[in-house]
Amino acid sequence: MSSGGSELVKTKRIGRWYFGGCASAMAACCTHPLDLVKVHLQTVSAGGETVGMSTMFVRIAKHQGVRALYNGISASLLRQLTYSTTRFGMYETIKKEMTTGTSEPMSFLSKVGAAGLSGGCGGIVGTPADMVNVRMQNDIKLPVEQRRNYKHAIDGLFRVFKEEGLTKMFSGATMATSRAILMTIGQLSMYDQVKETLLKTGLFGDNLITHFTSSTIASTIATAITQPLDVMKTKMMNSKPDEFKGISDCVLQTAKMGPLAFYKGFIPAFIRLGPHTILTFIFFEQIKKHFGQDVPVDD
């Protein structure tokens, strides 16, 4: 509440368009070692060695130093500052325009529509950084003579543009955009909807417990709706020549294995996505609380 003369004006605090990108980058700084260790585990598994996550953490820190846990962090940050800034920025801007002057929240369908549009745009904008991020993470899997050895994310972007052309920077944009649409619907719209529902019960306040609960549920939903697409993408990328006639054939072949085949690897996917989603929204809410914009609302 703020006062203008003797009249009290009811306000609500909203986030600024760039808060989401900042929060996602902060979350990436916390979860990057998990992603790095995941890639190392995949590499040693391919060689027939079985190593636990904690053992791999210790091995990397011992032989390469603690800083090695943050190898490739520049690409991860660049991806969040392009992809997440775009989708959060668009979503928050749409939400602001649709709720200005009213205390009523957006309808669920409006949230889903805004998230889908924002996610699609974010997927396109973030494709170049995403590609460089994947390449930098996967470099360790390649023989030494085949590694690209990008110095950092910006160096990677310039080298891709110079050596492979502009169109290569957007290779895989269709799949990335499709996933980004589903991911943003699962994360942003579901987080807002779950948080709104919890607050309406009167049992929850706008606090850390609510933010944690809402983001945990949102990350579970996001994993559930994106996992089938991830399974299809992995099957298509690892398929033998002429194994599948197309994506529809891949879907049919997988469906014959039963519905659960679309959710193979769900737990590892959630372990990877969950912490980042939870931290992103916790950071976002704290940034909004301390640096957000107060706008007037009607009773």
Side-chain angles (χ1 to χ4, degrees):
M1 301 281 276
S2 61
S3 61
S6 59
E7 183 182 355
L8 290 176
V9 179
K10 187 176 181 180
T11 64
K12 64 177 179 180
R13 178 151 293 193
I14 62 174
R16 300 182 188 275
W17 65 269
Y18 52 86
F19 283 2
C22 293
S24 295
M26 292 167 66
C29 289
C30 299
T31 60
H32 184 76
L34 285 174
D35 284 336
L36 185 81
V37 168
K38 175 202 68 178
V39 173
H40 278 263
L41 288 173
Q42 290 174 339
T43 303
V44 298
S45 295
E49 184 181 0
T50 301
V51 180
M53 179 172 284
S54 58
T55 302
M56 183 57 72
F57 263 110
V58 174
R59 179 185 294 186
I60 295 173
K62 182 178 180 180
H63 295 287
Q64 302 178 45
V66 176
R67 290 181 60 185
L69 291 170
Y70 283 89
N71 285 343
I73 185 66
S74 63
S76 182
L77 290 175
L78 181 62
R79 179 177 182 271
Q80 296 303 331
L81 292 173
T82 51
Y83 163 63
S84 286
T85 299
T86 300
R87 66 194 187 116
F88 266 95
M90 287 188 63
Y91 181 78
E92 289 298 315
T93 299
I94 294 172
K95 187 165 71 171
K96 176 183 175 182
E97 291 300 319
M98 293 186 69
T99 59
T100 295
T102 178
S103 58
E104 291 297 315
M106 291 169 61
S107 68
F108 175 66
L109 289 179
S110 295
K111 293 187 184 84
V112 171
L117 176 62
S118 303
C121 294
I124 295 172
V125 172
T127 295
D130 192 23
M131 183 186 67
V132 171
N133 184 40
V134 170
R135 286 187 173 187
M136 290 183 71
Q137 284 189 335
N138 290 340
D139 232 22
I140 191 173
K141 298 180 182 180
L142 302 174
V144 176
E145 65 276 6
Q146 295 181 21
R147 293 179 184 177
R148 297 179 176 90
N149 294 317
Y150 297 147
K151 297 176 183 177
H152 45 71
I154 303 300
D155 176 57
L157 287 176
F158 274 111
R159 282 183 54 185
V160 172
F161 177 74
K162 181 179 179 180
E163 298 168 10
E164 303 175 59
L166 178 63
T167 55
K168 186 64 178 179
M169 296 178 71
F170 290 91
S171 176
T174 301
M175 186 66 74
T177 301
S178 300
R179 186 178 187 277
I181 291 172
L182 295 177
M183 181 66 71
T184 307
I185 290 173
Q187 288 180 324
L188 274 64
S189 64
M190 293 303 173
Y191 174 81
D192 274 353
Q193 189 64 34
V194 172
K195 178 184 172 184
E196 178 188 322
T197 302
L198 293 177
L199 291 175
K200 282 182 177 179
T201 65
L203 301 175
F204 292 83
D206 194 358
N207 52 36
L208 188 61
I209 294 175
T210 303
H211 304 157
F212 177 82
T213 304
S214 302
S215 56
T216 301
I217 295 173
S219 61
T220 304
I221 295 172
T223 305
I225 64 178
T226 57
Q227 189 61 15
L229 189 63
D230 284 344
V231 170
M232 293 299 98
K233 181 180 71 174
T234 302
K235 281 180 172 288
M236 293 291 289
M237 290 176 65
N238 295 326
S239 64
K240 300 175 182 178
D242 300 322
E243 181 176 352
F244 299 117
K245 298 176 183 178
I247 186 67
S248 58
D249 183 47
C250 182
V251 171
L252 290 174
Q253 293 296 329
T254 305
K256 291 179 181 179
M257 301 166 65
L260 292 180
F262 289 101
Y263 289 93
K264 183 180 180 181
F266 179 86
I267 299 300
F270 177 77
I271 292 174
R272 185 172 70 251
L273 178 65
H276 185 271
T277 302
I278 293 167
L279 288 172
T280 294
F281 282 112
I282 287 177
F283 286 142
F284 176 79
E285 293 285 3
Q286 290 303 307
I287 295 172
K288 183 173 72 173
K289 176 181 177 181
H290 294 286
F291 305 104
Q293 177 184 4
D294 289 323
V295 296
V297 296
D298 296 329
D299 292 329

